[in-house]
Amino acid sequence: MSTDYKSTLFLPRTDFPMKAGLPAKEPGLLERWETMDLFGRQREQSKDREKFILHDGPPYANGNLHIGHAMNKILKDVISRSQQMMGKNAHYVPGWDCHGLPIEWKIEEKYRKAGKDKDQVPVVEFRKECRDFAAHWVGVQKEEFKRLGVIGDWERPYLTMSFDAEAQIVRELLKFLMNGGLYRGSKPVMWSPVEKTALAEAELEYHDHTSTTIHVRFPVKSGPDEFMGASIVIWTTTPWTMPGNRAISYGPDMEYVGIEVSEVAEGSLAVVGEKLFVATELLEEVKKEAGIAAADVIWRGKGDAFKGVVCLHPFNGQGYDFDVPLIDGDHVTVDAGTGFVHTAPGHGQEDYEVGMVHGIEVPHTVDEDGTFYEHVPMFAGQHVYKCNEGVADELEKVGALLKRGKLVHSYPHSWRSKAPLIFRNTSQWFISMETNDLRAKALKAIDDTKWYPASGRNRIHAMISGRPDWVLSRQRAWGVPITVFTHKETGELLRDEKINARILEIMEAEGADAWFDSPAERFLEPDYNADDYEMAKDILDVWFDSGCTHAFTLEARPELQWPASLYLEGTDQHRGWFHSSLLESCGTRGRAPYEAVLTHGFVMDGQGRKMSKSLGNVVAPQKIIEQNGADILRLWVVASDYSEDMRIGNEIVKGQVDSYRRLRNTLRFILGNLEGWVESERLDYSEMPELEQWVLHRLSVLDELIRENCNEYEFSRVFTAIHNFCTLELSAFYFDIRKDVLYCDGANDIRRRAARTVLDQLFHCLTAWLAPMLVFTAEETWLTRYPGEDSSVHLRQFPEIPKDWRNQALHDRWSKVRSFRRVVTGALEIERREKRIGSSLQAAPTVYVSADYKALLEGLDLADICITSGVSLSTDAAPAEAFTLEDVSGVAVVPALADGEKCQRCWKILDEVGTHETYNDLCHRCADVVVSLPVEVEA
């Protein structure tokens, strides 16, 4: 009869389940953290430490979170938590952008559905609806962010619509008023006829758009004789801008050519005998487009020959009876068109700038709704979206049209309405890039900032270098007002600190609504006569709002600090929040509000496509949490290279679940084998076997890698290193080898105590290192071993690793030992596959090694390392049939069956089994353990 020795084994025991059940378990942990005020305890614990402040870029409070929000907030959370656990005070304050078009648009949509006219609603009533809408979604998003495991000051977030924030935004605006940076001007700005407002660069998106193209003749009115009787040919993709034409630009150093048409193709609008001027490099292209079959060159020369030439407008005689001068411009190229640029100063930035240089009038032709003003001849009341063909028709009627065509090209659209935009000359409020050297200060601040990745510096530097003045005003209702007064007669801005202080006092008490709900007298009198001043009614660009968050959050809250340690958002924020914050801070404080900036890519579907409802490929974070838990979503974030666009889909999530399961099994093995641990078991490093010392060396190396990459925000490297350590070095190597020792050695055996000492170190390191990433699982693991109302892994720091654990020579030796083992296990795998053995313990292979390898292996228990019942080494020449691996030289294996009997406790096959006087079915090691146990063994 065989004896059951199972009760004598030290098998793993733990309440930590193999199946995580995260969706059900995580809400309980969130409730626990709230009950114990984990965030408050962290603050108290770290109040005297160096601060690390990641300033939150505010999302819009206008809907449920999408996967991009989740990725962004999780990444911020991992950074703050890792800095906290590396000894900093990482106080994270979440925030929301509450003003602006996205929220206003939602209220207008509601009005439209109800047949309600927004313009008939009192502005303060409309603003209250916007405020209520934003407040609702702040509450919804707050709970969704918390469900992700994001820790922060959720009870005291910053909101751009809070009274103190609105007052500070106004205070920042008034600084620009007082330093002369703010001015009112008439310039062409990117305009949405649908939304009836100017848009900032950050509010644009580009889509393919089909435009009508026209080649147009401008008859020469005056100039040198060689140009008289000829026409200058321009090309444009915006026929609707022809009423705004006031000049033609040429490149002074470009080569031009004059031709006389001698033959035309059928259907061509060109006329035999007419004289046309174009750029030399574009001549053949123009001839092809216009159907000019043959022409004689009558003139060649440089562009500066056209200085002083004046043309007639094509609609001369129909209300366009003004001169159209030719002017030199640096923006003229031969990339497309004719080499002559139709210049409408009210409808393009470059047109405006070159017009200013040459004193060209900037006409007002288009109203805010996209229709031509009544004073515009021929096209009054027509919409710019709909008149392109009509303009071309009129040009053809007067003989000015040379060619009409179509072009599909990338064109700016409103990111909200999706409608195409126009450049429109309007009266707007601007912040000058040159006054007070704002551009120069911003460029210096960029160079003083650490950029992750480094390419971010070049991107924003190029944007600042070439950007125009900041268009600050929006013709909307929901936002912070531009709180300035202009003298009606002189046009001078009122700059008076006493008035500014009065405005701010009112704003702090009543919020920005007071500006819309109060007459000018309330702010001006008795110091000034309100009748003498115009009160601005525009609101601020929402990017100015968010650009001021550093002022009313970082500076206003003593628990934080200015400048921030880090700003973090998507790559689009080089032209958004990073950009506006940089300009606002440099304009008022002379430097950036951040020490460093980190950008991440966008989230695509599993095939690398942009997510859209029409494609049906939207991945909702809420669904992933519901099915798998927030820790799986967090694992996906840290496992991804977020310096580029990331992908997510069902198969990718399944892959993360598999990775998570491997990590969880590692933690479960550690917990199970630490059952009953007492501190007296601990061994000093010097008393440990080499294998345990090797594991501690690996912990030392990992600790350095993790700290370095946490400080560089390279979390994919951190995760990969931890994951590979757990799966390849622990589970597949160390645990595999030490199961026998942990299960079968005596409780006080040195090898077992050493292994359990190492498991204890692994537990403390892995729970800490994983805590910033897998916040729920790390806490569950910690509480399994250290329960208690006040216990939390998130109140710990990364363990300090003793310097003497680092041993490179030991590492080099064990790298070769692992290679040796890999050859042996490879040979035994073939034996198992061929069913010559059932398990590796049935084997006792002979391994042929070089003399150097044999010396390296001296003193090691190779049978334990290879999980066999024996290993014989030989320095003889290996037989031809011996198993080898190409990448491991000096090791060859000949498998053989082990001699002896099977130990019924550890299952090793050894000669000594059967020789113990009490337990003849056990090996000597197992028999000695059983003898020492205070339990009876059942037969």
Side-chain angles (χ1 to χ4, degrees):
M1 178 185 296
S2 64
T3 303
D4 183 3
Y5 291 103
K6 186 176 182 181
S7 63
T8 73
L9 297 171
F10 298 100
L11 295 176
R13 285 195 296 174
T14 179
D15 294 330
F16 188 78
M18 185 180 297
K19 187 173 175 60
L22 293 174
K25 194 171 295 174
E26 289 172 346
L29 288 171
L30 287 171
E31 186 176 337
R32 183 180 190 277
W33 293 333
E34 193 159 331
T35 299
M36 68 183 291
D37 186 20
L38 178 60
F39 182 75
R41 291 186 61 185
Q42 285 182 335
R43 304 284 63 77
E44 178 62 27
Q45 182 189 69
S46 60
K47 63 184 179 182
D48 296 325
R49 299 182 196 165
E50 178 187 349
K51 291 178 181 178
F52 177 90
I53 305 300
L54 188 160
H55 184 39
D56 191 30
Y60 274 120
N62 69 331
N64 292 103
L65 303 186
H66 56 63
I67 193 70
H69 288 127
M71 186 279 300
N72 173 273
K73 262 318 193 269
I74 288 170
L75 182 54
K76 291 173 179 174
D77 189 54
V78 172
I79 289 173
S80 288
R81 286 177 181 271
S82 61
Q83 291 294 322
Q84 179 79 19
M85 296 191 77
M86 287 192 294
K88 302 283 183 66
N89 179 2
H91 190 123
Y92 175 69
V93 176
W96 275 270
D97 217 336
C98 305
H99 295 131
L101 195 56
I103 292 166
E104 194 166 341
W105 193 258
K106 290 288 186 181
I107 304 303
E108 290 187 20
E109 279 182 347
K110 186 177 78 170
Y111 282 5
R112 283 192 289 272
K113 287 178 182 177
K116 198 172 179 181
D117 183 357
K118 172 206 167 186
D119 294 335
Q120 300 304 310
V121 177
V123 66
V124 173
E125 181 182 324
F126 177 80
R127 285 173 57 87
K128 183 180 184 305
E129 290 198 57
C130 291
R131 184 178 292 276
D132 292 345
F133 178 91
H136 165 75
W137 284 110
V138 166
V140 171
Q141 290 186 5
K142 180 195 296 186
E143 294 308 310
E144 290 181 322
F145 282 135
K146 289 165 70 174
R147 181 62 187 87
L148 295 171
V150 177
I151 194 169
D153 199 346
W154 294 109
E155 297 309 309
R156 297 177 63 233
Y158 76 77
L159 308 176
T160 59
M161 68 178 182
S162 65
F163 289 2
D164 62 319
E166 290 182 332
Q168 186 63 40
I169 293 167
V170 168
R171 183 176 285 108
E172 298 299 309
L173 170 70
L174 294 176
K175 290 178 183 179
F176 283 101
L177 169 68
M178 299 308 290
N179 69 23
L182 179 71
Y183 71 95
R184 191 175 190 178
S186 179
K187 282 188 178 181
V189 295
M190 198 61 79
W191 184 270
S192 171
V194 173
E195 291 131 322
K196 299 180 183 178
T197 187
L199 296 183
E201 182 69 20
E203 297 170 302
L204 315 184
E205 57 187 26
Y206 287 80
H207 302 291
D208 282 349
H209 179 74
T210 302
S211 294
T212 298
T213 64
I214 53 174
H215 287 77
V216 182
R217 305 175 182 90
F218 277 70
V220 174
K221 174 186 176 183
S222 63
D225 291 343
E226 57 263 36
F227 301 134
M228 299 305 297
S231 294
I232 304 297
V233 181
I234 65 93
W235 175 79
T236 182
T237 60
T238 53
W240 66 268
T241 61
M242 288 302 296
N245 175 276
R246 293 299 183 271
I248 299 170
S249 298
Y250 61 85
D253 296 321
M254 287 170 47
E255 298 286 342
Y256 288 87
V257 62
I259 61 170
E260 183 173 333
V261 177
S262 57
E263 184 180 346
V264 298
E266 184 176 349
S268 171
L269 295 178
V271 178
V272 173
E274 71 172 321
K275 298 174 184 177
L276 306 172
F277 284 84
V278 297
T280 304
E281 284 190 45
L282 295 166
L283 174 61
E284 294 306 317
E285 182 66 25
V286 172
K287 287 168 63 178
K288 179 182 176 182
E289 286 287 321
I292 298 173
D296 299 319
V297 174
I298 59 173
W299 182 88
R300 291 184 185 275
K302 292 277 190 181
D304 57 13
F306 293 97
K307 185 176 182 179
V309 173
V310 176
C311 289
L312 297 173
H313 193 282
F315 295 137
N316 182 261
Q318 301 185 70
Y320 295 85
D321 306 328
F322 44 79
D323 289 345
V324 178
L326 271 70
I327 58 178
D328 63 275
D330 293 337
H331 64 297
V332 182
T333 70
V334 291
D335 293 342
T338 68
F340 289 105
V341 176
H342 148 62
T343 301
H347 301 303
Q349 183 62 34
E350 290 176 331
D351 295 31
Y352 172 82
E353 290 173 358
V354 74
M356 290 297 95
V357 170
H358 293 278
I360 304 298
E361 170 206 1
V362 185
H364 290 263
T365 56
V366 179
D367 204 349
E368 64 176 15
D369 62 356
T371 60
F372 285 107
Y373 286 118
E374 288 302 316
H375 65 260
V376 177
M378 302 173 65
F379 304 104
Q382 294 188 37
H383 199 284
V384 297
Y385 288 170
K386 302 174 182 178
C387 73
N388 285 315
E389 291 298 334
V391 171
D393 289 344
E394 292 298 329
L395 288 167
E396 188 169 358
K397 285 180 187 177
V398 299
L401 188 67
L402 184 63
K403 169 67 179 178
R404 178 188 330 219
K406 295 289 183 184
L407 176 71
V408 178
H409 60 138
S410 182
Y411 192 83
H413 290 65
S414 164
W415 76 281
R416 176 56 49 183
S417 69
K418 309 303 179 186
L421 304 176
I422 62 173
F423 264 106
R424 172 175 176 259
N425 187 33
T426 61
S427 178
Q428 299 288 347
W429 293 97
F430 297 85
I431 288 178
S432 169
M433 290 298 296
E434 309 310 329
T435 303
N436 304 313
D437 296 321
L438 177 55
R439 190 187 311 276
K441 290 176 183 176
L443 292 174
K444 181 182 183 302
I446 290 170
D447 287 335
D448 291 340
T449 299
K450 176 77 171 173
W451 298 90
Y452 301 91
S455 58
R457 178 266 175 202
N458 296 337
R459 187 172 184 191
I460 194 168
H461 193 278
M463 291 176 178
I464 296 294
S465 294
R467 68 154 295 142
D469 290 349
W470 187 354
V471 184
L472 213 57
S473 45
R474 297 292 181 271
Q475 290 65 49
R476 307 298 296 181
W478 177 229
V480 177
I482 294 178
T483 54
V484 298
F485 294 92
T486 307
H487 196 279
K488 291 178 180 178
E489 287 188 9
T490 66
E492 290 292 317
L493 295 178
L494 178 60
R495 294 184 171 91
D496 187 321
E497 290 290 10
K498 185 177 180 181
I499 301 300
N500 293 348
R502 189 177 299 156
I503 291 170
L504 290 169
E505 182 182 1
I506 293 170
M507 292 285 172
E508 286 169 348
E510 303 173 27
D513 285 354
W515 185 262
F516 300 94
D517 204 25
S518 304
E521 290 86 342
R522 186 182 183 194
F523 302 101
L524 295 177
E525 296 185 353
D527 303 276
Y528 298 91
N529 183 351
D531 292 337
D532 294 338
Y533 288 88
E534 177 190 355
M535 183 178 181
K537 293 298 182 184
D538 291 344
I539 64 168
L540 285 163
D541 172 15
V542 72
W543 290 108
F544 188 85
D545 283 22
S546 58
C548 294
T549 58
H550 69 95
F552 59 78
T553 307
L554 300 178
E555 288 184 332
R557 298 174 65 155
E559 68 272 24
L560 304 180
Q561 70 179 14
W562 189 99
S565 308
L566 184 70
Y567 273 36
L568 184 165
E569 297 300 330
T571 54
D572 57 334
Q573 295 308 307
H574 287 112
R575 63 173 182 159
W577 188 52
F578 304 151
H579 197 119
S580 63
S581 299
L582 175 71
L583 293 183
E584 200 289 322
S585 185
C586 286
T588 54
R589 292 155 179 81
R591 64 149 295 165
Y594 38 70
E595 298 282 358
V597 173
L598 172 66
T599 55
H600 58 73
F602 300 108
V603 182
M604 306 296 182
D605 74 1
Q607 300 175 44
R609 301 175 301 175
K610 188 175 180 180
M611 293 186 191
S612 69
K613 291 180 181 178
S614 60
L615 289 176
N617 65 343
V618 174
V619 178
Q622 296 85 354
K623 185 176 180 181
I624 294 175
I625 293 171
E626 181 184 324
Q627 293 177 344
N628 301 290
D631 262 359
I632 300 302
L633 200 55
R634 295 178 69 96
L635 191 152
W636 164 73
V637 172
V638 297
S640 301
D641 179 3
Y642 33 78
S643 66
E644 300 177 349
D645 289 344
M646 293 151 287
R647 297 186 179 190
I648 192 167
N650 290 335
E651 291 305 310
I652 292 171
V653 172
K654 285 179 184 176
Q656 303 305 337
V657 170
D658 288 342
S659 295
Y660 173 83
R661 189 178 295 117
R662 287 190 285 272
L663 289 173
R664 188 175 182 89
N665 286 343
T666 299
L667 296 171
R668 190 168 186 269
F669 180 92
I670 293 170
L671 285 167
N673 285 284
L674 281 172
E675 198 274 334
W677 163 268
V678 290
E679 191 60 29
S680 59
E681 290 183 60
R682 187 179 303 281
L683 279 186
D684 187 74
Y685 174 83
S686 62
E687 301 176 81
M688 293 183 181
E690 274 195 15
L691 180 55
E692 276 62 38
Q693 291 183 351
W694 171 81
V695 176
L696 297 181
H697 164 80
R698 291 294 302 130
L699 284 178
S700 172
V701 172
L702 264 180
D703 176 67
E704 182 179 316
L705 181 149
I706 288 166
R707 290 174 185 273
E708 179 181 316
N709 283 285
C710 281
N711 281 323
E712 292 294 315
Y713 317 118
E714 295 280 3
F715 295 103
S716 62
R717 294 179 184 173
V718 173
F719 170 75
T720 300
I722 294 174
H723 179 265
N724 289 347
F725 176 65
C726 288
T727 56
L728 302 179
E729 296 181 290
L730 294 183
S731 295
F733 182 65
Y734 179 66
F735 293 170
D736 204 27
I737 293 170
R738 283 303 190 229
K739 281 178 185 176
D740 175 75
V741 165
L742 289 164
Y743 300 173
C744 301
D745 275 14
N748 293 316
D749 185 272
I750 290 294
R751 294 194 308 173
R752 189 168 188 274
R753 286 176 61 194
R756 277 164 60 89
T757 299
V758 165
L759 290 180
D760 180 66
Q761 296 291 355
L762 286 169
F763 173 85
H764 283 87
C765 286
L766 289 175
T767 51
W769 292 341
L770 289 172
M773 299 183 285
L774 303 181
V775 294
F776 298 102
T777 302
E779 184 78 313
E780 179 193 0
T781 308
W782 181 260
L783 293 176
T784 300
R785 197 172 174 204
Y786 298 111
E789 290 183 4
D790 295 331
S791 181
S792 175
V793 71
H794 302 297
L795 293 172
R796 298 178 59 214
Q797 294 183 45
F798 288 170
E800 292 296 326
I801 302 299
K803 291 181 179 179
D804 61 358
W805 287 7
R806 185 66 66 93
N807 189 333
Q808 189 60 42
L810 183 70
H811 171 80
D812 294 343
R813 180 185 186 189
W814 276 85
S815 292
K816 291 184 177 180
V817 173
R818 292 182 70 193
S819 296
F820 171 88
R821 181 180 189 265
R822 193 154 51 85
V823 183
V824 174
T825 55
L828 297 184
E829 185 56 40
I830 294 174
E831 297 301 294
R832 188 183 287 111
R833 190 170 66 235
E834 297 298 324
K835 302 190 185 305
R836 290 191 282 268
I837 61 172
S839 80
S840 62
L841 287 174
Q842 292 177 265
T846 298
V847 186
Y848 296 84
V849 296
S850 63
D852 289 345
Y853 233 120
K854 186 176 182 183
L856 178 90
L857 299 171
E858 195 71 41
L860 299 178
D861 190 334
L862 298 178
D864 271 4
I865 290 169
C866 296
I867 316 179
T868 61
S869 291
V871 171
S872 299
L873 291 182
S874 174
T875 56
D876 295 342
E881 72 274 12
F883 178 84
T884 60
L885 291 176
E886 284 186 13
D887 62 333
V888 183
S889 60
V891 182
V893 181
V894 175
L897 292 174
D899 292 329
E901 297 298 321
K902 180 179 180 180
C903 174
Q904 295 302 307
R905 185 169 178 270
C906 69
W907 294 2
K908 288 183 178 180
I909 298 172
L910 302 168
D911 289 334
E912 64 189 54
V913 176
T915 64
H916 194 276
E917 59 184 20
T918 305
Y919 295 103
N920 63 7
D921 56 350
L922 299 181
C923 67
H924 289 180
R925 185 265 308 255
C926 287
D928 290 345
V929 173
V930 172
V931 166
S932 68
L933 290 174
V935 295
E936 291 188 12
V937 179
E938 295 183 5

